[in-house]
Amino acid sequence: MNTYFIKRFVAMIITLWLIVTGTFFLMHWVPGSPFNEERTTNAAIQKNLESYYQLDKPLLVQYGNYLKALVQFDLGPSIKKSSQTVNDMLGRGFPVSFELGLYTLLLAIVSGITLGVFAALRHNGLIDYLAMSIAVLGISVPNFVMATLLIQQLAVNIPIFPVATWSSPMHMVLPILALATGPMAIIARLTRTSMLEVLTQDYIRTAKAKGLSPVKIVFKHALRNALLPVVTVLGSLAASILTGTFVIEKIFAIPGMGKYFVDSINNRDYPVIMGTTVFYSAILILMLFLVDLAYGILDPRIKLHKKEAK
Amino acid sequence: MEKILQVKDLHVSFSTYGGEVKAVRGVSFDLHKGETLAIVGESGCGKSVTSQSIMRLIPDPPGKIHQGEIIFKDRDIIKMKEPELRKIRGANISMIFQDPMTALNPTLTIGEQIMEGIIQHEKLSRDQAKRVAIEMLNLVGIPNPEIRLKQYPHQFSGGMRQRIVIAMALVCRPDVLIADEPTTALDVTIQAQILELFRDIQKKTGVSIILITHDLGVVAQVADRIAVMYAGRIVEIGTRREIFYQPQHPYTKGLLQSVPRLDAEKAELVPIPGTPPDLFSPPVGCAFAARCPHAMEVCDKVYPFKTQLTSDHNVDCWLQDERAKKLVSSFK
């Protein structure tokens, strides 16, 4: 088991290194730099700035320096917001995005699975059609439309919830709802399909033949087997939700890290582009690892480590 | 002998896009205490549907039991509601399915799967249930049951899994065990072991067994009585001896001739020509008439009466009619 974890860890580091390398060179390959805007700066100042941020050095040297700093978890200074380091920005933004993401995920998983299970149990019945209509709506309505609708109805027309910002539980309700509908719909559809398949399996008939109640059959025998495909999607879904979403955070004026992703690219703010990408990749890789662990728990046939040859 | 289960005039059909498939069309039989009744017939003759109807496991929709009675302990199973059925399933009547590879839940330990039946029906504690489960695994011949209980189905071979499925079915000491092709998915050496196990268990527990199979070799080894099904009806029923040595229905004779025998003078197998009828619109008369070498005009038009040959032996065939017998003898 330990050798598995070591092997896996090494693989994760290599993956991350590949992503860092790819992003670094692609980013510099794209025309433009942090300093060419409409406002033309004095050539001497520009030169000073470039040498301050070491942008005048050969690309390979810059790459080497970046890796050296990265190993010490130093993501460098922001070029556009000169008083801040990338570590500061992520340190401030991530906890907020994580909180929003975590509640969103919980809501999406619980309601998605419930909806999916009921739809499957009442296959082609009224509940099924209702649940799947909700799911199709959830998938096709973009979350910014959902967000503005929710604000219009539940904050302006009927002022139950505050319109924006992030300070109390009441403030969290609307952004969570807006963000959760999409993932919920995806999870509901997957759960339904997977449940329908599992419910026709022979072992479900065996469970019925034992005289078990429908509740026991569904929760003990069917759901666990039906969750594998759902868990697969959850990995990447969780990573993207937990690291913040630009649109929802912008609409609700939430100080998360979503805006850094987009702003940094518009500004060609090299260290921030690298920082957010590396951070997102690290979270994604971690989530995929957790998914693999979850497989092993859900299905005993999936072994995380190869058996030693006897 | 005491009748433990009586099936009377059972009709089951399935609605499909193509129309209504009349899978079982008036099946009646009795099951005696402690006997093994084999139901044989080719694929699609309704033998599995009959057995699943007894436990009311036919998925509805598309399946529907249209008429008939299934009397178990003076009560009609067909009239029972779900909660009552759940008390009978697994406790009084239990079932073994064809494929042991898929009949067990891959994500639960076999101990859990054996124990949940007892816990459901007998309100035992987990410790007591575990003891019963170990006893059961011993009975079906699984070595080291204490360790094996904690393992998952994929850690067992096919034959072992079928033993576990049998243990699971027997755990509440049912009165009736329905085995739906229990050896079809196993290789021949394992088949013999499993059949031996059935005989052994029946001796020890006195359970009545309904054995569904298309394998006459299996039937010859374990059945006390045999019911031959064709196109949704039992066409002949009798003791093993009567069916193997004095088969009366042309279909039964055809079945026996299409099985290889070691003691036969001619090694050639005689297949039954043709195919079974379409059960969307089954024939009015005898369903076998189109394939029958002895078919008469009446066979196509009227379904034959049941002829009682001995106390156990019944056959549905016009050849048993006095007039047909006279006709046949006049040719000789």
Side-chain angles (χ1 to χ4, degrees):
Chain A
M1 201 67 179
N2 272 334
T3 51
Y4 169 77
F5 281 117
I6 293 166
K7 267 189 207 156
R8 191 65 202 258
F9 186 71
V10 172
M12 281 157 82
I13 297 293
I14 293 173
T15 313
L16 202 56
W17 171 72
L18 286 173
I19 292 171
V20 168
T21 310
T23 317
F24 189 88
F25 288 105
L26 274 175
M27 179 178 80
H28 282 277
W29 184 46
V30 173
S33 94
F35 307 115
N36 51 10
E37 291 169 358
E38 288 106 54
R39 172 174 56 92
T40 48
T41 30
N42 181 315
I45 296 175
Q46 176 128 0
K47 212 164 182 207
N48 270 337
L49 278 170
E50 276 179 4
S51 89
Y52 177 76
Y53 290 109
Q54 301 188 333
L55 291 173
D56 54 347
K57 299 223 170 91
L59 205 53
L60 276 178
V61 178
Q62 290 184 38
Y63 172 67
N65 288 341
Y66 187 79
L67 281 188
K68 241 183 266 166
L70 187 63
V71 173
Q72 294 156 34
F73 297 105
D74 177 9
L75 295 169
S78 164
I79 295 176
K80 283 288 149 161
K81 301 197 168 88
S82 45
S83 59
Q84 299 175 11
T85 66
V86 179
N87 290 44
D88 288 338
M89 295 164 100
L90 295 182
R92 244 180 301 116
F94 181 61
V96 177
S97 289
F98 185 79
E99 197 182 13
L100 170 63
L102 197 67
Y103 293 136
T104 303
L105 268 183
L106 282 179
L107 177 68
I109 291 171
V110 171
S111 56
I113 289 177
T114 317
L115 221 56
V117 167
F118 276 104
L121 290 181
R122 298 276 175 274
H123 183 40
N124 286 339
L126 188 66
I127 297 180
D128 185 18
Y129 290 132
L130 206 69
M132 284 309 107
S133 309
I134 296 174
V136 168
L137 270 178
I139 289 175
S140 30
V141 176
N143 56 21
F144 56 86
V145 175
M146 193 69 197
T148 39
L149 254 172
L150 284 172
I151 293 175
Q152 176 67 32
Q153 294 307 323
L154 297 177
V156 178
N157 287 359
I158 315 163
I160 311 172
F161 299 107
V163 174
T165 72
W166 188 254
S167 50
S168 75
M170 284 302 268
H171 286 83
M172 299 180 181
V173 175
L174 292 188
I176 288 171
L177 280 179
L179 198 52
T181 37
M184 180 204 72
I186 294 171
I187 294 171
R189 287 184 62 89
L190 257 177
T191 310
R192 172 179 178 269
T193 316
S194 180
M195 265 307 260
L196 281 179
E197 200 197 311
V198 169
L199 285 174
T200 62
Q201 295 290 315
D202 283 356
Y203 54 81
I204 297 297
R205 195 176 53 177
T206 309
K208 257 184 219 158
K210 275 187 221 170
L212 298 184
S213 64
V215 176
K216 261 203 183 138
I217 292 173
V218 168
F219 287 99
K220 193 168 167 187
H221 286 271
L223 191 55
R224 190 166 165 188
N225 286 291
L227 280 185
L228 275 181
V230 180
V231 168
T232 311
V233 203
L234 272 185
S236 48
L237 208 62
S240 66
I241 291 177
L242 289 177
T243 49
T245 47
F246 176 71
V247 177
I248 291 291
E249 289 179 2
K250 198 105 185 166
I251 292 175
F252 289 97
I254 295 166
M257 60 178 277
K259 68 167 182 287
Y260 298 128
F261 280 99
V262 180
D263 287 352
S264 64
I265 291 169
N266 286 337
N267 295 335
R268 296 281 191 289
D269 193 342
Y270 292 148
V272 184
I273 295 179
M274 286 306 295
T276 48
T277 309
V278 169
F279 188 75
Y280 172 75
S281 312
I283 298 273
L284 180 61
I285 290 169
L286 184 73
M287 286 300 157
L288 295 181
F289 173 61
L290 290 181
V291 164
D292 284 357
L293 285 186
Y295 279 158
I297 296 167
L298 279 176
D299 191 340
R301 281 169 301 181
I302 299 170
K303 280 277 170 292
L304 289 181
H305 53 104
K306 275 184 198 149
K307 272 185 197 151
E308 285 106 47
K310 276 172 193 168
Chain B
M1 242 196 287
E2 192 189 332
K3 287 172 187 167
I4 188 114
L5 186 80
Q6 286 173 280
V7 176
K8 293 178 186 168
D9 198 28
L10 182 71
H11 288 255
V12 186
S13 66
F14 292 87
S15 45
T16 66
Y17 287 113
E20 199 179 24
V21 181
K22 298 171 189 75
V24 173
R25 308 182 294 138
V27 162
S28 307
F29 63 87
D30 299 334
L31 180 67
H32 300 146
K33 203 171 167 137
E35 75 163 350
T36 300
L37 170 70
I39 302 181
V40 298
E42 56 202 294
S43 309
C45 71
K47 50 194 198 297
S48 287
V49 175
T50 304
S51 68
Q52 287 180 27
S53 300
I54 294 171
M55 284 191 88
R56 291 278 304 277
L57 283 175
I58 302 285
D60 178 12
K64 194 153 179 53
I65 299 175
H66 285 289
Q67 77 181 72
E69 285 173 39
I70 297 172
I71 308 291
F72 175 75
K73 290 193 170 168
D74 302 324
R75 293 168 66 205
D76 187 356
I77 289 178
I78 288 177
K79 292 207 181 80
M80 283 185 193
K81 296 256 167 9
E82 266 296 309
E84 286 176 275
L85 286 170
R86 283 207 291 274
K87 278 184 201 145
I88 286 185
R89 285 180 193 145
N92 300 110
I93 305 177
S94 57
M95 195 153 185
I96 295 167
F97 296 102
Q98 180 172 354
D99 189 353
M101 301 315 234
T102 56
L104 293 165
N105 188 332
T107 59
L108 294 173
T109 62
I110 61 133
E112 183 58 41
Q113 296 188 57
I114 296 174
M115 279 151 60
E116 65 180 353
I118 327 169
I119 294 170
Q120 174 83 20
H121 293 295
E122 296 182 6
K123 311 291 169 223
L124 296 183
S125 71
R126 283 193 75 84
D127 271 354
Q128 289 167 309
K130 195 172 163 188
R131 237 168 293 146
V132 179
I134 290 172
E135 198 182 298
M136 235 48 233
L137 287 180
N138 266 325
L139 180 73
V140 297
I142 303 256
N144 305 323
E146 288 88 354
I147 301 161
R148 293 299 234 169
L149 271 185
K150 294 184 197 109
Q151 296 184 333
Y152 291 93
H154 69 277
Q155 290 162 302
F156 292 85
S157 67
M160 284 291 207
R161 285 192 214 184
Q162 194 60 300
R163 285 169 191 268
I164 291 162
V165 172
I166 294 170
M168 227 161 70
L170 290 172
V171 81
C172 295
R173 308 257 162 195
D175 305 297
V176 178
L177 179 66
I178 301 169
D180 191 351
E181 310 231 7
T183 58
T184 308
L186 305 173
D187 43 37
V188 184
T189 47
I190 309 293
Q191 271 189 18
Q193 290 174 13
I194 296 289
L195 291 178
E196 186 61 42
L197 179 64
F198 271 115
R199 256 187 306 215
D200 192 37
I201 284 165
Q202 194 166 43
K203 222 180 279 166
K204 283 180 188 157
T205 63
V207 63
S208 310
I209 299 176
I210 297 177
L211 181 71
I212 314 284
T213 182
H214 59 257
D215 186 342
L216 289 169
V218 169
V219 171
Q221 285 180 61
V222 294
D224 297 313
R225 287 195 304 137
I226 299 167
V228 181
M229 271 189 89
Y230 187 77
R233 282 192 170 114
I234 291 181
V235 293
E236 185 167 7
I237 184 167
T239 62
R240 173 174 54 172
R241 186 158 279 279
E242 284 162 345
I243 296 293
F244 275 98
Y245 294 110
Q246 288 118 35
Q248 291 303 314
H249 199 283
Y251 177 64
T252 315
K253 289 178 190 167
L255 269 187
L256 290 170
Q257 276 172 354
S258 59
V259 175
R261 295 173 61 137
L262 282 176
D263 58 345
E265 283 167 23
K266 282 192 296 176
E268 204 177 322
L269 292 180
V270 188
I272 306 174
T275 50
D278 185 356
L279 290 178
F280 284 114
S281 50
V284 198
C286 174
F288 189 62
R291 303 169 74 185
C292 183
H294 311 289
M296 300 172 284
E297 216 180 319
V298 65
C299 299
D300 281 327
K301 291 185 177 137
V302 187
Y303 190 78
F305 298 107
K306 191 172 288 299
T307 310
Q308 184 104 31
L309 297 165
T310 69
S311 61
D312 292 314
H313 196 174
N314 290 327
V315 62
D316 292 2
C317 182
W318 280 118
L319 292 174
Q320 301 300 322
D321 191 274
E322 284 307 316
R323 286 161 286 181
K325 279 183 179 161
K326 259 183 220 157
L327 201 67
V328 171
S329 60
S330 73
F331 286 125
K332 278 180 183 164

